Amino acid sequence: MDKSEHRNPVVIQKEGLSMRRQALFRPAAASVSNSKKMISESKFAFLLLLPTIVILLGLLLYPFLYSIYLCFVDLNLTKPWVGPKFVGLENFSTVLKDGEFWLSMETTLYFAVFSVAASMILGLAAALLFNVKFRMRGLGRSLLLIPWAMPGVVNAMIWQTMLHPNYGLLNGVLLKTGLIESPVGWLSDPKLALISVIMAQVWTSFPFVALMYLAALQSISGELIEAAKIDGAGSIRIFKDIVVKLLVPVTLVLLVLRTIDSFRVFDLVFAMTKGGPANSTQLSGLYLYKQGFMFSDFGLGSAGSYILTGFILVFVLLYMRVLRQKDGV
């Protein structure tokens, strides 16, 4: 007879209990080991990202905080012996009382309204055109993006050359067609300079609008259009009752984005007119540039930039309110 058959039952019971305890606590020990391993890997990943985080904080957070500091001090490099002096809200008050600032805001508003409206209309027309299948449509879409992809300064130089009174393309075409009798100073006439800048801005920005509208048009179900045609709806009614309504969300987004971009325009105007003639094209961004970098008054420049940011936030809040009303929130 095997000796295992004569083992004490109490001993066997204790061994079974010990084995069950080991089986019970083994997963817990393994999970603790895995959690420690994950923590160590997280620390290692954080250490790898730490230099990038420090660089980003230095390039983004520090200038942001320093610009806020400049809003409340009088720092003018033309008076280095004075040094930074805390002035509270005086910089904001000075900017808001400056007639030139409000003139630049008026010009910026005029510029934004007409450039945004024109770019939206032209962009929608281009999107409707390129939504139709025709030969070399892909090439046309690629060429459409060239004005938007080029730097603003390059676009400004192109338009400056086209609008030159002596050898500009626009005057040459108008003279040959007999629409004008003498060259027009597009950038030297205060009444025409802002219109010229608006044309350049529209030419630069409408491809982005067209691209967004084109993506929205291609997301419209073809079955919906076919059903409307079967019900007897014509092209105009389909466009008014279906396409336009489905384009409302992207239109609201484009209105906000284009308005913000219009308030932030600087390089195009600076390269074309530098705010002239007679400050007729001095937008708010150019006014802030003059205060901060031409007159070396960084306090006024920083305060004015945050005032401009406040105006932009108003448009963003209006946009959010329209979206909430549209969604029924």
Side-chain angles (χ1 to χ4, degrees):
M1 183 176 295
D2 192 357
K3 293 182 179 181
S4 61
E5 296 179 0
H6 297 282
R7 295 179 64 186
N8 192 338
V10 178
V11 176
I12 296 175
Q13 185 178 3
K14 289 182 178 180
E15 291 179 353
L17 180 61
S18 177
M19 293 176 64
R20 285 196 297 270
R21 286 179 178 177
Q22 291 179 3
L24 179 64
F25 289 104
R26 189 179 296 113
S31 62
V32 171
S33 177
N34 290 334
S35 63
K36 289 182 178 180
K37 185 178 180 181
M38 291 178 62
I39 293 173
S40 62
E41 290 179 354
S42 301
K43 290 182 178 179
F44 181 68
F46 176 76
L47 291 176
L48 291 178
L49 293 175
L50 185 59
T52 303
I53 295 174
V54 172
I55 293 174
L56 289 177
L57 290 177
L59 294 177
L60 298 177
L61 184 60
Y62 173 73
F64 171 69
L65 296 177
Y66 189 68
S67 66
I68 296 178
Y69 162 76
L70 289 176
C71 293
F72 302 99
V73 299
D74 181 13
L75 178 60
N76 195 323
L77 295 184
T78 61
K79 303 174 182 178
W81 59 88
V82 176
K85 178 183 177 182
F86 181 77
V87 293
L89 299 176
E90 184 178 338
N91 288 327
F92 293 94
S93 176
T94 302
V95 173
L96 292 175
K97 292 178 182 178
D98 190 357
E100 188 177 352
F101 169 75
W102 290 110
L103 180 61
S104 68
M105 288 298 298
E106 180 182 353
T107 306
T108 303
L109 184 61
Y110 181 87
F111 173 84
V113 169
F114 285 93
S115 65
V116 170
S119 63
M120 295 287 289
I121 295 172
L122 191 58
L124 178 59
L128 292 172
L129 173 63
F130 287 106
N131 194 44
V132 180
K133 293 183 179 180
F134 58 88
R135 292 183 61 185
M136 302 182 71
R137 183 176 64 168
L139 178 61
R141 290 179 178 178
S142 302
L143 295 176
L144 177 67
L145 297 177
I146 291 177
W148 178 59
M150 287 193 301
V153 175
V154 176
N155 287 323
M157 299 306 294
I158 292 174
W159 275 90
Q160 195 177 42
T161 304
M162 291 175 57
L163 299 176
H164 195 277
N166 297 327
Y167 53 81
L169 176 63
L170 184 58
N171 275 342
V173 172
L174 295 178
L175 286 171
K176 285 188 177 291
T177 55
L179 296 177
I180 58 174
E181 297 180 356
S182 59
V184 177
W186 297 98
L187 299 179
S188 59
D189 188 341
K191 296 181 180 179
L192 298 176
L194 186 58
I195 297 176
S196 303
V197 173
I198 290 174
M199 289 192 301
Q201 173 65 10
V202 171
W203 185 76
T204 304
S205 60
F206 93 91
F208 173 74
V209 178
L211 185 65
M212 295 289 289
Y213 271 135
L214 184 60
L217 287 172
Q218 293 184 345
S219 66
I220 298 177
S221 174
E223 297 177 356
L224 183 63
I225 303 298
E226 292 297 329
K229 290 180 179 180
I230 294 174
D231 292 339
S235 300
I236 297 178
R237 186 174 179 183
I238 290 174
F239 177 76
K240 182 180 67 174
D241 295 339
I242 298 178
V243 176
V244 172
K245 290 183 179 180
L246 293 177
L247 291 180
V248 168
V250 69
T251 299
L252 293 175
V253 174
L254 285 171
L255 281 174
V256 173
L257 294 178
R258 288 293 308 115
T259 302
I260 293 175
D261 286 341
S262 299
F263 273 85
R264 293 171 54 246
V265 168
F266 169 77
D267 51 355
L268 185 72
V269 180
F270 182 79
M272 286 185 67
T273 63
K274 291 183 174 58
N279 289 340
S280 60
T281 61
Q282 180 174 266
L283 303 184
S284 54
L286 195 58
Y287 166 84
L288 297 176
Y289 166 79
K290 288 182 177 180
Q291 295 296 326
F293 294 97
M294 293 184 67
F295 304 146
S296 300
D297 199 334
F298 295 104
L300 289 181
S302 298
S305 65
Y306 280 99
I307 293 175
L308 179 61
T309 303
F311 281 102
I312 295 176
L313 285 177
V314 170
F315 286 97
V316 174
L317 293 175
L318 289 175
Y319 162 70
M320 294 175 62
R321 184 175 181 180
V322 170
L323 278 186
R324 288 176 179 175
Q325 291 178 352
K326 178 180 178 299
D327 295 335
V329 178

